[in-house]
Amino acid sequence: MLSPILSIILATTALAAPGIKIAGCSVANKQMDIPAGQTQLVNPTIPPSFIGLGLGVQNYTCSSAGTFTSTGAVAELVDISCVDSSRLTAVTDAASEIWKQAPKGISIQAVIKALSGVDSAFGSSIILGQHVFVTNPITGVGINPKWDFTSASLKGHADAFVVGARTGGIPAPSNPAVNIDWLMVNNIQGDLADQIFRIETRGGQPPSTCTPGTADISVKYVSQYWFFGGAFSS
Ligand SMILES: *[C@@H]1O[C@H](CO)[C@@H](O)[C@H](O)[C@H]1NC(C)=O
């Protein structure tokens, strides 16, 4: 349930202009928490370069088999470098609630403003960049995830993007029917990062069946994205 204050913030700041600057705090001491007892996601031995909170949608189309297949995703990545490690999970939960309840067409800045009521670290938070899907730039076949900071926190750095290919994945440790998989993704193009992990997912899963011929759907989700290596850091 959104507090009245959050509701007012969401309602009154929908037209706020985007704010763009470089990421806030060093993440050199942050450690990514991934489940033990699995071999799909391997924690890098180097510190992360960036940690972003993705707020967006996963898109699906209904296949002739009556199941939804992914057609990509689009998300804004909010810098969470200044959030204390002990608060990362709680902040992700709160962001998921706010995002789920945000009215259609709300600006990401309004959502960030609402988040600043959850954790003071968001008071100075910025947009790191955008997450989209693009045609595979190497093979020209299929779509691959891209994280692009060139229009936001790393404006002017033409190589501040990464296109990746999934190399490992596990079902979300909690509620995997609702929450999308946790992933490990390796760089196939760009200088932003060598590896990207999608963890702490909230939402994003489609219904288990659909009627062929029905419209495409978008399912809201939130997740943490951890970036390792690359030519930049926060
Ligand atoms: C996903 O759907 C949204 C509308 O909900 C649309 O704006 C966006 O372009 C779509 N992106 C992809 C990659 O399909």
Side-chain angles (χ1 to χ4, degrees):
M1 188 56 198
L2 273 189
S3 76
I5 289 173
L6 290 187
S7 305
I8 289 165
I9 290 169
L10 286 170
T12 56
T13 57
L15 299 174
I20 293 165
K21 58 182 164 99
I22 297 294
C25 302
S26 168
V27 292
N29 294 323
K30 292 264 200 296
Q31 286 193 345
M32 187 171 67
D33 235 351
I34 52 175
Q38 53 81 34
T39 54
Q40 288 283 304
L41 310 187
V42 182
N43 216 335
T45 53
I46 54 171
S49 310
F50 298 97
I51 310 172
L53 189 67
L55 299 103
V57 294
Q58 296 283 328
N59 291 348
Y60 300 94
T61 195
C62 185
S63 73
S64 55
T67 54
F68 282 110
T69 56
S70 172
T71 55
V74 54
E76 291 286 335
L77 293 190
V78 179
D79 179 35
I80 48 172
S81 62
C82 296
V83 175
D84 190 80
S85 294
S86 66
R87 299 257 312 135
L88 278 175
T89 302
V91 158
T92 305
D93 284 333
S96 172
E97 283 310 306
I98 288 170
W99 181 229
K100 256 192 291 187
Q101 295 180 42
K104 212 176 161 70
I106 192 114
S107 79
I108 190 71
Q109 289 300 325
V111 175
I112 291 175
K113 195 148 187 187
L115 285 169
S116 65
V118 169
D119 191 296
S120 57
F122 282 103
S124 56
S125 210
I126 57 144
I127 307 238
L128 286 175
Q130 288 76 38
H131 173 43
V132 294
F133 274 70
V134 295
T135 301
N136 184 306
I138 312 297
T139 64
V141 177
I143 56 168
N144 285 64
K146 179 178 184 176
W147 293 267
D148 187 348
F149 291 9
T150 63
S151 299
S153 59
L154 288 168
K155 209 171 186 149
H157 299 274
D159 294 330
F161 72 90
V162 56
V163 179
R166 174 190 175 134
T167 50
I170 57 170
S174 77
N175 223 350
V178 170
N179 302 323
I180 48 178
D181 291 358
W182 292 23
L183 303 180
M184 181 169 80
V185 175
N186 282 359
N187 174 311
I188 61 169
Q189 191 182 64
D191 284 344
L192 181 63
D194 299 328
Q195 280 196 306
I196 307 95
F197 289 76
R198 181 179 80 188
I199 65 166
E200 295 292 345
T201 54
R202 307 285 187 269
Q205 290 284 31
S208 55
T209 61
C210 56
T211 305
T214 52
D216 295 352
I217 61 166
S218 292
V219 184
K220 282 186 177 180
Y221 84 105
V222 164
S223 75
Q224 293 175 16
Y225 289 99
W226 290 61
F227 299 85
F228 292 85
F232 310 93
S233 65
S234 54

